Amino acid sequence: MRILLCNCNSPPSLSPTPPQKPPPSFLPAAAVWTKKTLITALSGALSLTLLVSSSSPALSSDSPPFQPPRPPQLSTPLPDRCNEEEEEELQNKFVLKPEFVTKEEIVQEAWQIVNDSFLDTGRHRWSPQSWEQKKEDILGTSIQTRSKAHELIKRMLASLGDPYTRFLSPAEFSKMARYDITGIGINIREVPDDTGSVKLKVQGLILDGPAHTAGVRQGDEVLAVNGEHVVGKSAFEVSSLLQGPNETFVTIKIRHGNCGPTESLEIQRQLVARSPVFYRLEQVSNSPSSVGYMRLKEFNALARKDLVIAMKRLQDMGASYFILDLRDNLGGLVQAGIEIAKLFLNKGETIIYTVGRDPQYQKNVVADTAPLVTLPVVVLVNNRTASASEIVASALHDNCRAVLVGERTFGKV
């Protein structure tokens, strides 16, 4: 679960004479869209890289390639003149309450989101009483700067003891919206050690990506970037150090495993998303049947489109059934996983459902069209099948659409 807060300033007026109303006592109206999105994200708790998104369009064999949805652009100026229908449509689309968002309100909003939606599974230290005490502590704190407000939110969320709940500043959130914030195909996570200090570990790794090809492995510790030691830096700060122009080089020093050897590696940045799909047709021994083998390395913006191409081509080549290989696939875009699951499921079948303490934030995500293919499917998984991969595997298994073969998965969702 991740908290994404990015409402720093109130949006501009979207009508010539917006109504002026007194600000609410708790949540700023300027954050209404953000809050609704955050609640959905929080109640889902699904992905290593969570993107703000809305419901996607129906899928079919001739539907356009998957594109991650974008939030409404509140900063887009309106034309000087518009007809009454256009003005009414815009008023229905947005909440028009330009208000100033105070630093205290930002912190209180984060508190309220957790209070409304955080679901304790018994592994965390959350309780209604302790969380209420956090609120009282916040109200008794003087918040002079925006950075101070952000720091309070980070400390507040850290008390939950949940590694998947964290705060992203506006600058950090903008980086998360990119395909690969490092440029070399890794995801870095802050991991506390026994001494209380924090190590920066490689949590996610794109198979056959620049870092993987150079020799970086999941679990490696990042020690330095271009000769600059990273002790005391956050994962996002180190990700920023790794960034640079496409096809330029960055040198990182890593320690393999927990106490393995250290190594300096020169890695060429690759900022353009590459196809994560590999496929081939194989003949079954002593049988006229053939199998369409598809390996999906990660769930990036190309995953759904390229998998559709692979499935259609393999079916045209005479595949009798499919093997979808999700081994070592650590996930990626949650929405891509949902869209790919829809390719196999019947209309109305459940892909995922969210659970929260408040019923209004519970919802089911279901397939909304007929499946692209109806051939039998086998899904290969192992202990490094995680996040969006587990969404696909469990959705196909629970709807009796595929047989799972392999090991117990990572357990991210």
Side-chain angles (χ1 to χ4, degrees):
M1 178 167 71
R2 294 178 177 179
I3 288 188
L4 314 180
L5 297 180
C6 55
N7 52 315
C8 281
N9 298 303
S10 59
S13 172
L14 294 182
S15 66
T17 56
Q20 298 296 325
K21 296 183 180 180
S25 59
F26 201 70
L27 292 181
V32 169
W33 176 84
T34 305
K35 180 177 185 297
K36 289 180 180 179
T37 305
L38 300 182
I39 294 298
T40 303
L42 287 170
S43 59
L46 295 174
S47 175
L48 185 65
T49 303
L50 182 65
L51 294 185
V52 175
S53 61
S54 58
S55 299
S56 56
L59 297 181
S60 64
S61 60
D62 57 351
S63 60
F66 164 72
Q67 295 292 338
R70 296 179 179 179
Q73 300 298 312
L74 295 180
S75 60
T76 302
L78 295 178
D80 293 335
R81 298 179 180 178
C82 60
N83 59 43
E84 292 180 359
E85 292 181 356
E86 291 173 339
E87 185 174 8
E88 182 179 358
E89 181 180 356
L90 287 168
Q91 289 178 345
N92 291 334
K93 188 174 182 181
F94 301 112
V95 178
L96 306 179
K97 293 183 180 179
E99 296 168 358
F100 177 71
V101 183
T102 68
K103 303 170 185 66
E104 290 77 10
E105 286 173 330
I106 291 176
V107 178
Q108 291 176 0
E109 182 183 0
W111 181 92
Q112 188 67 50
I113 290 171
V114 175
N115 187 66
D116 290 342
S117 300
F118 187 78
L119 184 65
D120 185 24
T121 60
R123 297 177 296 175
H124 308 123
R125 299 186 292 272
W126 187 92
S127 70
Q129 296 76 19
S130 63
W131 197 243
E132 185 66 31
Q133 183 61 49
K134 288 289 180 184
K135 177 182 175 182
E136 296 178 7
D137 294 342
I138 291 170
L139 295 178
T141 302
S142 176
I143 308 176
Q144 300 295 331
T145 63
R146 186 75 52 151
S147 60
K148 176 66 174 178
H150 293 175
E151 184 59 34
L152 281 174
I153 295 174
K154 290 179 180 180
R155 283 168 26 200
M156 183 171 63
L157 298 182
S159 68
L160 295 172
D162 180 8
Y164 303 119
T165 302
R166 60 182 173 130
F167 168 81
L168 301 181
S169 68
E172 293 168 340
F173 175 74
S174 67
K175 294 175 183 177
M176 287 292 289
R178 302 177 188 176
Y179 155 68
D180 172 17
I181 64 173
T182 67
I184 61 173
I186 63 174
N187 184 282
I188 302 172
R189 178 185 171 191
E190 300 166 20
V191 179
D193 60 16
D194 296 336
T195 64
S197 59
V198 174
K199 294 181 179 180
L200 298 175
K201 293 292 192 76
V202 176
Q203 176 71 11
L205 191 68
I206 297 176
L207 294 179
D208 300 326
H212 182 262
T213 302
V216 179
R217 295 295 177 262
Q218 185 182 14
D220 287 354
E221 179 184 358
V222 180
L223 303 175
V225 177
N226 285 333
E228 181 177 347
H229 293 285
V230 300
V231 176
K233 295 184 181 297
S234 69
F236 278 98
E237 288 175 317
V238 175
S239 295
S240 296
L241 293 176
L242 292 171
Q243 293 173 14
N246 189 37
E247 297 186 354
T248 59
F249 288 86
V250 61
T251 301
I252 65 172
K253 184 178 182 181
I254 60 171
R255 175 180 288 114
H256 295 292
N258 292 323
C259 52
T262 61
E263 184 178 7
S264 291
L265 301 172
E266 186 179 58
I267 304 173
Q268 187 176 30
R269 297 180 177 98
Q270 179 69 44
L271 304 183
V272 180
R274 296 187 298 176
S275 174
V277 179
F278 168 80
Y279 65 97
R280 64 175 181 264
L281 186 71
E282 292 190 356
Q283 193 68 31
V284 179
S285 300
N286 302 320
S287 172
S289 301
S290 56
V291 55
Y293 172 84
M294 302 176 294
R295 181 185 182 189
L296 184 58
K297 300 176 183 178
E298 62 163 333
F299 291 83
N300 66 14
L302 302 178
R304 188 254 175 195
K305 176 179 70 71
D306 290 354
L307 193 64
V308 167
I309 294 173
M311 293 167 66
K312 287 182 176 180
R313 288 181 178 174
L314 289 171
Q315 191 170 32
D316 291 343
M317 293 166 63
S320 303
Y321 62 95
F322 292 115
I323 292 180
L324 179 60
D325 191 347
L326 298 179
R327 292 175 297 179
D328 298 320
N329 186 325
L330 295 170
L333 301 179
V334 168
Q335 191 64 31
I338 292 173
E339 301 299 342
I340 286 173
K342 289 180 180 180
L343 298 175
F344 298 91
L345 300 179
N346 294 315
K347 184 176 181 179
E349 292 182 328
T350 299
I351 299 171
I352 57 172
Y353 63 91
T354 60
V355 178
R357 289 179 292 112
D358 191 331
Q360 70 172 312
Y361 299 129
Q362 298 183 23
K363 69 172 186 177
N364 290 351
V365 177
V366 301
D368 45 17
T369 62
L372 177 65
V373 294
T374 57
L375 296 176
V377 182
V378 176
V379 179
L380 304 182
V381 297
N382 63 4
N383 59 4
R384 287 162 55 86
T385 300
S387 193
S389 292
E390 291 175 298
I391 291 175
V392 174
S394 60
L396 269 58
H397 173 269
D398 292 350
N399 287 288
C400 300
R401 184 63 183 89
V403 176
L404 300 188
V405 177
E407 305 172 298
R408 184 183 182 90
T409 60
F410 182 81
K412 181 68 184 296
V413 295

